[in-house]
């Protein structure tokens, strides 16, 4: 992997905000997964064609295991990224995992702009999930963790070209 990251300052408070909201989100994965994908398609309807479980259906399918798996991966890996940012000042994804993520997203035609769409959908989903516990600081912590994780995936995608 390329070593190009300057150590990031990610505070204990930021890590706690991410972990605390992820604990709440875990209680309602089916609804939140559905909401996450519904929001992605609201912002970017064309993204529908990329996902095997969406492209042949008029509505976002309920209780689809692949849909749930992608949503949970994004939530969980972002939370793990926050933990690593706090501990190490950088996001470290296992080499084989990262290589797989790079090649899957490249093959599906995911572009940089899609990562922004998913980020926005993630933040809106978290905001709804946590209700009164939401704060700008909480959103900012998730956004920062997500940006670092997305950067790692995008860098891998570029290496594959
Ligand atoms: C597949 C994670 C962002 C579209 C996957 C897989 C993982 C994953 C773990 C399964 C890989 C496998 O099959 O081995 C993530 C994470 C993201 C992210 C952690 C952000 C930090 C995105 C974005 C898009 C996207 C921005 C496009 C809007 C897809 C598609 C698949 C996929 C189309 C194949 C799913 C299918 O059709 O079954 N992603 N992803 N992902 N991802 Fe992502």
């Amino acid at each position: 992997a390329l070593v190009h990251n300057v150590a990031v300052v990610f505070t204990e408070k930021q890590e706690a905000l991410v972990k605390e909201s992820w604990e709440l989100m875990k209680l309602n994965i089916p609804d939140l997964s559905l909401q996450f994908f519904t929001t992605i398609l609201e912002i970017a309807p064309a993204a529908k064609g990329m996902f095997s479980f969406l492209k042949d259906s008029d509505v976002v399918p309920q209780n689809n295991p692949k849909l749930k798996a992608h949503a949970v991966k994004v939530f969980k890996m972002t939370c793990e990224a926050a933990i690593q940012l706090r501990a190490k000042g950088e996001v470290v994804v296992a080499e084989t995992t990262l290589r797989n993520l790079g090649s899957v997203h490249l093959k599906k035609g995911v572009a940089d702009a899609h990562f922004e769409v998913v980020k926005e959908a993630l933040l809106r989903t978290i905001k709804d999930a946590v209700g009164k516990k939401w704060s700008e600081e909480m959103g900012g912590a998730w956004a920062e963790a997500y940006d670092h994780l997305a950067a790692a995936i995008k860098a891998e995608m570029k290496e594959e070209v």
Side-chain angles (χ1 to χ4, degrees), residues 22-66:
W22 171 227
E23 288 306 316
L24 286 173
M25 290 162 73
K26 275 189 204 161
L27 304 174
N28 194 10
I29 293 297
D31 286 345
L32 294 177
S33 303
L34 198 63
Q35 188 187 342
F36 178 57
F37 269 93
T38 305
T39 310
I40 290 173
L41 297 190
E42 257 168 40
I43 307 173
K48 193 171 182 272
M50 290 194 294
F51 292 94
S52 56
F53 46 86
L54 296 179
K55 60 172 187 261
D56 300 321
S57 147
D58 290 335
V59 292
V60 180
Q62 298 216 9
N63 275 318
N64 180 290
K66 284 191 173 176

Short mmCIF file of all heavy atoms in Angstrom, two decimals, residues 22-66:
data_model
loop_
_atom_site.label_atom_id
_atom_site.label_comp_id
_atom_site.label_asym_id
_atom_site.label_seq_id
_atom_site.Cartn_x
_atom_site.Cartn_y
_atom_site.Cartn_z
N TRP A 22 -23.49 4.14 16.58
CA TRP A 22 -23.51 2.81 15.94
C TRP A 22 -24.24 1.79 16.83
O TRP A 22 -25.00 0.97 16.36
CB TRP A 22 -22.09 2.39 15.58
CG TRP A 22 -21.90 0.96 15.11
CD1 TRP A 22 -20.94 0.10 15.55
CD2 TRP A 22 -22.64 0.23 14.11
NE1 TRP A 22 -21.05 -1.10 14.89
CE2 TRP A 22 -22.08 -1.06 14.02
CE3 TRP A 22 -23.73 0.54 13.30
CZ2 TRP A 22 -22.56 -2.03 13.15
CZ3 TRP A 22 -24.22 -0.43 12.43
CH2 TRP A 22 -23.64 -1.70 12.36
N GLU A 23 -24.05 1.91 18.15
CA GLU A 23 -24.77 1.02 19.08
C GLU A 23 -26.28 1.20 18.93
O GLU A 23 -27.03 0.22 18.95
CB GLU A 23 -24.34 1.27 20.53
CG GLU A 23 -22.95 0.77 20.89
CD GLU A 23 -22.72 -0.71 20.57
OE1 GLU A 23 -23.61 -1.53 20.86
OE2 GLU A 23 -21.66 -1.04 20.00
N LEU A 24 -26.72 2.44 18.77
CA LEU A 24 -28.16 2.69 18.58
C LEU A 24 -28.64 2.16 17.23
O LEU A 24 -29.72 1.58 17.12
CB LEU A 24 -28.46 4.20 18.64
CG LEU A 24 -28.42 4.86 20.01
CD1 LEU A 24 -28.58 6.37 19.86
CD2 LEU A 24 -29.52 4.28 20.91
N MET A 25 -27.81 2.34 16.22
CA MET A 25 -28.19 1.91 14.87
C MET A 25 -28.34 0.39 14.79
O MET A 25 -29.22 -0.12 14.09
CB MET A 25 -27.15 2.38 13.86
CG MET A 25 -27.18 3.89 13.66
SD MET A 25 -25.66 4.46 12.91
CE MET A 25 -25.88 3.86 11.24
N LYS A 26 -27.49 -0.31 15.52
CA LYS A 26 -27.53 -1.78 15.51
C LYS A 26 -28.89 -2.33 15.92
O LYS A 26 -29.23 -3.45 15.57
CB LYS A 26 -26.48 -2.32 16.49
CG LYS A 26 -25.10 -2.44 15.93
CD LYS A 26 -24.27 -3.19 16.97
CE LYS A 26 -22.80 -2.91 16.85
NZ LYS A 26 -22.06 -3.26 18.06
N LEU A 27 -29.63 -1.56 16.68
CA LEU A 27 -30.94 -2.03 17.16
C LEU A 27 -31.98 -2.08 16.04
O LEU A 27 -33.04 -2.66 16.20
CB LEU A 27 -31.46 -1.10 18.28
CG LEU A 27 -30.54 -0.92 19.49
CD1 LEU A 27 -31.09 0.13 20.43
CD2 LEU A 27 -30.36 -2.25 20.21
N ASN A 28 -31.67 -1.42 14.93
CA ASN A 28 -32.69 -1.32 13.89
C ASN A 28 -32.10 -1.43 12.47
O ASN A 28 -32.40 -0.62 11.60
CB ASN A 28 -33.41 0.03 14.07
CG ASN A 28 -34.68 0.09 13.27
OD1 ASN A 28 -35.13 -0.92 12.72
ND2 ASN A 28 -35.25 1.28 13.18
N ILE A 29 -31.29 -2.45 12.29
CA ILE A 29 -30.60 -2.62 11.00
C ILE A 29 -31.55 -2.77 9.80
O ILE A 29 -31.33 -2.14 8.77
CB ILE A 29 -29.58 -3.80 11.07
CG1 ILE A 29 -28.42 -3.46 12.01
CG2 ILE A 29 -29.06 -4.18 9.69
CD1 ILE A 29 -27.57 -2.27 11.59
N PRO A 30 -32.63 -3.57 9.91
CA PRO A 30 -33.48 -3.71 8.72
C PRO A 30 -34.05 -2.38 8.22
O PRO A 30 -33.96 -2.09 7.02
CB PRO A 30 -34.61 -4.64 9.21
CG PRO A 30 -34.00 -5.41 10.34
CD PRO A 30 -33.06 -4.45 11.01
N ASP A 31 -34.61 -1.58 9.11
CA ASP A 31 -35.18 -0.30 8.69
C ASP A 31 -34.10 0.67 8.20
O ASP A 31 -34.29 1.38 7.22
CB ASP A 31 -35.93 0.37 9.85
CG ASP A 31 -37.25 -0.32 10.13
OD1 ASP A 31 -37.70 -1.11 9.27
OD2 ASP A 31 -37.82 -0.09 11.20
N LEU A 32 -32.98 0.70 8.92
CA LEU A 32 -31.94 1.67 8.56
C LEU A 32 -31.27 1.31 7.23
O LEU A 32 -30.92 2.20 6.46
CB LEU A 32 -30.90 1.78 9.68
CG LEU A 32 -31.42 2.38 10.99
CD1 LEU A 32 -30.33 2.37 12.05
CD2 LEU A 32 -31.95 3.79 10.79
N SER A 33 -31.13 0.02 6.96
CA SER A 33 -30.56 -0.40 5.67
C SER A 33 -31.45 0.07 4.53
O SER A 33 -30.97 0.58 3.51
CB SER A 33 -30.45 -1.92 5.59
OG SER A 33 -29.71 -2.42 6.65
N LEU A 34 -32.73 -0.14 4.73
CA LEU A 34 -33.70 0.26 3.71
C LEU A 34 -33.69 1.77 3.51
O LEU A 34 -33.67 2.28 2.39
CB LEU A 34 -35.09 -0.20 4.19
CG LEU A 34 -36.19 -0.29 3.15
CD1 LEU A 34 -35.84 -1.34 2.10
CD2 LEU A 34 -37.50 -0.67 3.84
N GLN A 35 -33.67 2.49 4.61
CA GLN A 35 -33.65 3.94 4.56
C GLN A 35 -32.38 4.45 3.88
O GLN A 35 -32.42 5.39 3.07
CB GLN A 35 -33.74 4.50 5.98
CG GLN A 35 -33.93 6.00 6.01
CD GLN A 35 -33.84 6.54 7.43
OE1 GLN A 35 -33.97 5.79 8.40
NE2 GLN A 35 -33.63 7.83 7.55
N PHE A 36 -31.25 3.81 4.20
CA PHE A 36 -29.96 4.19 3.62
C PHE A 36 -30.02 4.07 2.09
O PHE A 36 -29.68 5.02 1.36
CB PHE A 36 -28.90 3.27 4.21
CG PHE A 36 -27.50 3.46 3.72
CD1 PHE A 36 -26.86 4.69 3.82
CD2 PHE A 36 -26.79 2.38 3.20
CE1 PHE A 36 -25.54 4.84 3.40
CE2 PHE A 36 -25.48 2.52 2.78
CZ PHE A 36 -24.86 3.75 2.87
N PHE A 37 -30.51 2.93 1.60
CA PHE A 37 -30.58 2.75 0.14
C PHE A 37 -31.65 3.62 -0.51
O PHE A 37 -31.45 4.11 -1.63
CB PHE A 37 -30.77 1.27 -0.22
CG PHE A 37 -29.44 0.59 -0.41
CD1 PHE A 37 -28.83 -0.07 0.64
CD2 PHE A 37 -28.78 0.69 -1.62
CE1 PHE A 37 -27.58 -0.64 0.47
CE2 PHE A 37 -27.53 0.11 -1.80
CZ PHE A 37 -26.93 -0.56 -0.75
N THR A 38 -32.76 3.83 0.17
CA THR A 38 -33.79 4.71 -0.36
C THR A 38 -33.21 6.12 -0.53
O THR A 38 -33.43 6.78 -1.56
CB THR A 38 -35.02 4.73 0.57
OG1 THR A 38 -35.46 3.38 0.76
CG2 THR A 38 -36.16 5.54 -0.01
N THR A 39 -32.44 6.56 0.44
CA THR A 39 -31.81 7.89 0.37
C THR A 39 -30.77 7.94 -0.75
O THR A 39 -30.71 8.93 -1.48
CB THR A 39 -31.18 8.27 1.72
OG1 THR A 39 -32.14 8.05 2.75
CG2 THR A 39 -30.74 9.71 1.74
N ILE A 40 -29.97 6.90 -0.87
CA ILE A 40 -28.98 6.88 -1.96
C ILE A 40 -29.70 7.08 -3.30
O ILE A 40 -29.29 7.90 -4.12
CB ILE A 40 -28.18 5.54 -1.98
CG1 ILE A 40 -27.25 5.46 -0.77
CG2 ILE A 40 -27.37 5.40 -3.28
CD1 ILE A 40 -26.53 4.12 -0.60
N LEU A 41 -30.80 6.37 -3.50
CA LEU A 41 -31.50 6.46 -4.79
C LEU A 41 -32.27 7.76 -4.96
O LEU A 41 -32.49 8.21 -6.09
CB LEU A 41 -32.43 5.25 -4.98
CG LEU A 41 -31.72 3.90 -5.03
CD1 LEU A 41 -32.67 2.80 -5.45
CD2 LEU A 41 -30.51 3.92 -5.98
N GLU A 42 -32.67 8.37 -3.86
CA GLU A 42 -33.30 9.70 -3.93
C GLU A 42 -32.29 10.72 -4.46
O GLU A 42 -32.61 11.54 -5.30
CB GLU A 42 -33.71 10.16 -2.53
CG GLU A 42 -35.19 10.03 -2.24
CD GLU A 42 -35.46 10.22 -0.75
OE1 GLU A 42 -34.82 11.10 -0.12
OE2 GLU A 42 -36.29 9.45 -0.23
N ILE A 43 -31.06 10.62 -3.94
CA ILE A 43 -30.04 11.59 -4.34
C ILE A 43 -29.52 11.26 -5.74
O ILE A 43 -29.27 12.15 -6.54
CB ILE A 43 -28.85 11.61 -3.34
CG1 ILE A 43 -29.33 11.81 -1.90
CG2 ILE A 43 -27.86 12.71 -3.71
CD1 ILE A 43 -28.23 11.66 -0.86
N ALA A 44 -29.34 9.98 -6.01
CA ALA A 44 -28.73 9.56 -7.29
C ALA A 44 -29.50 8.37 -7.88
O ALA A 44 -29.06 7.23 -7.76
CB ALA A 44 -27.27 9.20 -7.06
N PRO A 45 -30.64 8.63 -8.52
CA PRO A 45 -31.46 7.54 -9.06
C PRO A 45 -30.68 6.57 -9.97
O PRO A 45 -30.96 5.38 -9.98
CB PRO A 45 -32.55 8.27 -9.85
CG PRO A 45 -32.61 9.64 -9.27
CD PRO A 45 -31.22 9.96 -8.79
N ALA A 46 -29.70 7.11 -10.69
CA ALA A 46 -28.96 6.27 -11.64
C ALA A 46 -28.10 5.21 -10.95
O ALA A 46 -27.70 4.23 -11.58
CB ALA A 46 -28.09 7.14 -12.53
N ALA A 47 -27.86 5.38 -9.66
CA ALA A 47 -27.03 4.41 -8.93
C ALA A 47 -27.71 3.04 -8.86
O ALA A 47 -27.06 2.01 -8.65
CB ALA A 47 -26.73 4.91 -7.52
N LYS A 48 -29.03 3.03 -9.07
CA LYS A 48 -29.82 1.80 -9.03
C LYS A 48 -29.22 0.70 -9.92
O LYS A 48 -29.17 -0.47 -9.52
CB LYS A 48 -31.23 2.14 -9.53
CG LYS A 48 -32.29 1.13 -9.30
CD LYS A 48 -33.64 1.76 -9.68
CE LYS A 48 -34.78 0.82 -9.42
NZ LYS A 48 -35.04 -0.06 -10.58
N GLY A 49 -28.78 1.10 -11.11
CA GLY A 49 -28.28 0.12 -12.07
C GLY A 49 -27.03 -0.62 -11.62
O GLY A 49 -26.72 -1.69 -12.13
N MET A 50 -26.30 -0.07 -10.65
CA MET A 50 -25.05 -0.69 -10.22
C MET A 50 -25.25 -1.86 -9.28
O MET A 50 -24.41 -2.75 -9.19
CB MET A 50 -24.18 0.35 -9.50
CG MET A 50 -23.61 1.41 -10.42
SD MET A 50 -22.29 2.35 -9.62
CE MET A 50 -23.20 3.18 -8.34
N PHE A 51 -26.35 -1.83 -8.54
CA PHE A 51 -26.55 -2.84 -7.50
C PHE A 51 -27.38 -4.00 -8.04
O PHE A 51 -28.50 -3.81 -8.50
CB PHE A 51 -27.23 -2.22 -6.28
CG PHE A 51 -26.36 -1.24 -5.54
CD1 PHE A 51 -26.41 0.11 -5.82
CD2 PHE A 51 -25.45 -1.69 -4.58
CE1 PHE A 51 -25.58 1.02 -5.14
CE2 PHE A 51 -24.63 -0.81 -3.91
CZ PHE A 51 -24.70 0.56 -4.19
N SER A 52 -26.82 -5.21 -7.93
CA SER A 52 -27.48 -6.41 -8.46
C SER A 52 -28.90 -6.56 -7.90
O SER A 52 -29.81 -6.97 -8.59
CB SER A 52 -26.66 -7.65 -8.12
OG SER A 52 -26.45 -7.73 -6.72
N PHE A 53 -29.07 -6.19 -6.63
CA PHE A 53 -30.36 -6.40 -5.97
C PHE A 53 -31.35 -5.26 -6.20
O PHE A 53 -32.46 -5.29 -5.69
CB PHE A 53 -30.14 -6.61 -4.46
CG PHE A 53 -29.20 -5.62 -3.84
CD1 PHE A 53 -29.66 -4.40 -3.39
CD2 PHE A 53 -27.84 -5.91 -3.73
CE1 PHE A 53 -28.78 -3.48 -2.81
CE2 PHE A 53 -26.97 -4.99 -3.16
CZ PHE A 53 -27.43 -3.78 -2.71
N LEU A 54 -30.95 -4.24 -6.93
CA LEU A 54 -31.87 -3.11 -7.19
C LEU A 54 -32.27 -3.01 -8.65
O LEU A 54 -33.35 -2.53 -8.98
CB LEU A 54 -31.22 -1.78 -6.79
CG LEU A 54 -30.87 -1.55 -5.33
CD1 LEU A 54 -30.21 -0.18 -5.16
CD2 LEU A 54 -32.11 -1.63 -4.44
N LYS A 55 -31.38 -3.46 -9.52
CA LYS A 55 -31.56 -3.08 -10.92
C LYS A 55 -32.83 -3.65 -11.56
O LYS A 55 -33.38 -3.04 -12.46
CB LYS A 55 -30.31 -3.34 -11.74
CG LYS A 55 -29.80 -4.75 -11.83
CD LYS A 55 -28.68 -4.78 -12.86
CE LYS A 55 -28.22 -6.20 -13.13
NZ LYS A 55 -27.02 -6.56 -12.38
N ASP A 56 -33.31 -4.80 -11.08
CA ASP A 56 -34.51 -5.38 -11.70
C ASP A 56 -35.78 -5.15 -10.89
O ASP A 56 -36.79 -5.83 -11.10
CB ASP A 56 -34.30 -6.88 -11.92
CG ASP A 56 -33.12 -7.14 -12.83
OD1 ASP A 56 -32.95 -6.37 -13.79
OD2 ASP A 56 -32.36 -8.09 -12.55
N SER A 57 -35.73 -4.23 -9.96
CA SER A 57 -36.90 -4.04 -9.10
C SER A 57 -37.32 -2.57 -9.12
O SER A 57 -36.50 -1.68 -9.24
CB SER A 57 -36.52 -4.53 -7.70
OG SER A 57 -37.16 -3.79 -6.72
N ASP A 58 -38.63 -2.33 -9.05
CA ASP A 58 -39.14 -0.95 -9.10
C ASP A 58 -39.00 -0.24 -7.76
O ASP A 58 -38.92 0.97 -7.70
CB ASP A 58 -40.63 -0.94 -9.50
CG ASP A 58 -40.81 -1.34 -10.95
OD1 ASP A 58 -39.85 -1.17 -11.72
OD2 ASP A 58 -41.89 -1.84 -11.29
N VAL A 59 -39.02 -1.03 -6.71
CA VAL A 59 -38.90 -0.43 -5.38
C VAL A 59 -37.64 -0.97 -4.71
O VAL A 59 -37.10 -1.99 -5.12
CB VAL A 59 -40.13 -0.77 -4.50
CG1 VAL A 59 -41.37 -0.06 -5.02
CG2 VAL A 59 -40.35 -2.26 -4.40
N VAL A 60 -37.21 -0.29 -3.67
CA VAL A 60 -36.08 -0.80 -2.90
C VAL A 60 -36.61 -2.01 -2.12
O VAL A 60 -37.55 -1.88 -1.35
CB VAL A 60 -35.52 0.29 -1.96
CG1 VAL A 60 -34.35 -0.24 -1.16
CG2 VAL A 60 -35.09 1.52 -2.76
N PRO A 61 -36.03 -3.20 -2.36
CA PRO A 61 -36.60 -4.40 -1.75
C PRO A 61 -36.41 -4.45 -0.23
O PRO A 61 -35.35 -4.10 0.27
CB PRO A 61 -35.82 -5.53 -2.42
CG PRO A 61 -34.55 -4.92 -2.86
CD PRO A 61 -34.84 -3.47 -3.15
N GLN A 62 -37.46 -4.89 0.46
CA GLN A 62 -37.37 -5.04 1.91
C GLN A 62 -36.72 -6.37 2.23
O GLN A 62 -36.92 -7.34 1.51
CB GLN A 62 -38.79 -5.04 2.50
CG GLN A 62 -39.50 -3.73 2.25
CD GLN A 62 -40.39 -3.34 3.41
OE1 GLN A 62 -40.34 -3.96 4.46
NE2 GLN A 62 -41.19 -2.32 3.22
N ASN A 63 -35.97 -6.41 3.30
CA ASN A 63 -35.40 -7.67 3.76
C ASN A 63 -34.53 -8.38 2.75
O ASN A 63 -34.50 -9.60 2.71
CB ASN A 63 -36.51 -8.63 4.20
CG ASN A 63 -36.90 -8.34 5.63
OD1 ASN A 63 -36.02 -8.10 6.47
ND2 ASN A 63 -38.18 -8.32 5.89
N ASN A 64 -33.83 -7.61 1.94
CA ASN A 64 -32.91 -8.23 0.98
C ASN A 64 -31.53 -8.37 1.66
O ASN A 64 -30.96 -7.39 2.12
CB ASN A 64 -32.82 -7.36 -0.27
CG ASN A 64 -31.89 -7.97 -1.29
OD1 ASN A 64 -30.67 -8.01 -1.10
ND2 ASN A 64 -32.45 -8.45 -2.38
N PRO A 65 -31.02 -9.62 1.73
CA PRO A 65 -29.77 -9.83 2.47
C PRO A 65 -28.58 -9.06 1.88
O PRO A 65 -27.72 -8.60 2.63
CB PRO A 65 -29.52 -11.34 2.39
CG PRO A 65 -30.65 -11.93 1.64
CD PRO A 65 -31.59 -10.85 1.20
N LYS A 66 -28.52 -8.93 0.57
CA LYS A 66 -27.38 -8.22 -0.04
C LYS A 66 -27.45 -6.73 0.23
O LYS A 66 -26.44 -6.07 0.44
CB LYS A 66 -27.34 -8.46 -1.55
CG LYS A 66 -26.83 -9.83 -1.92
CD LYS A 66 -26.57 -9.87 -3.40
CE LYS A 66 -25.89 -11.17 -3.80
NZ LYS A 66 -25.72 -11.23 -5.26
#
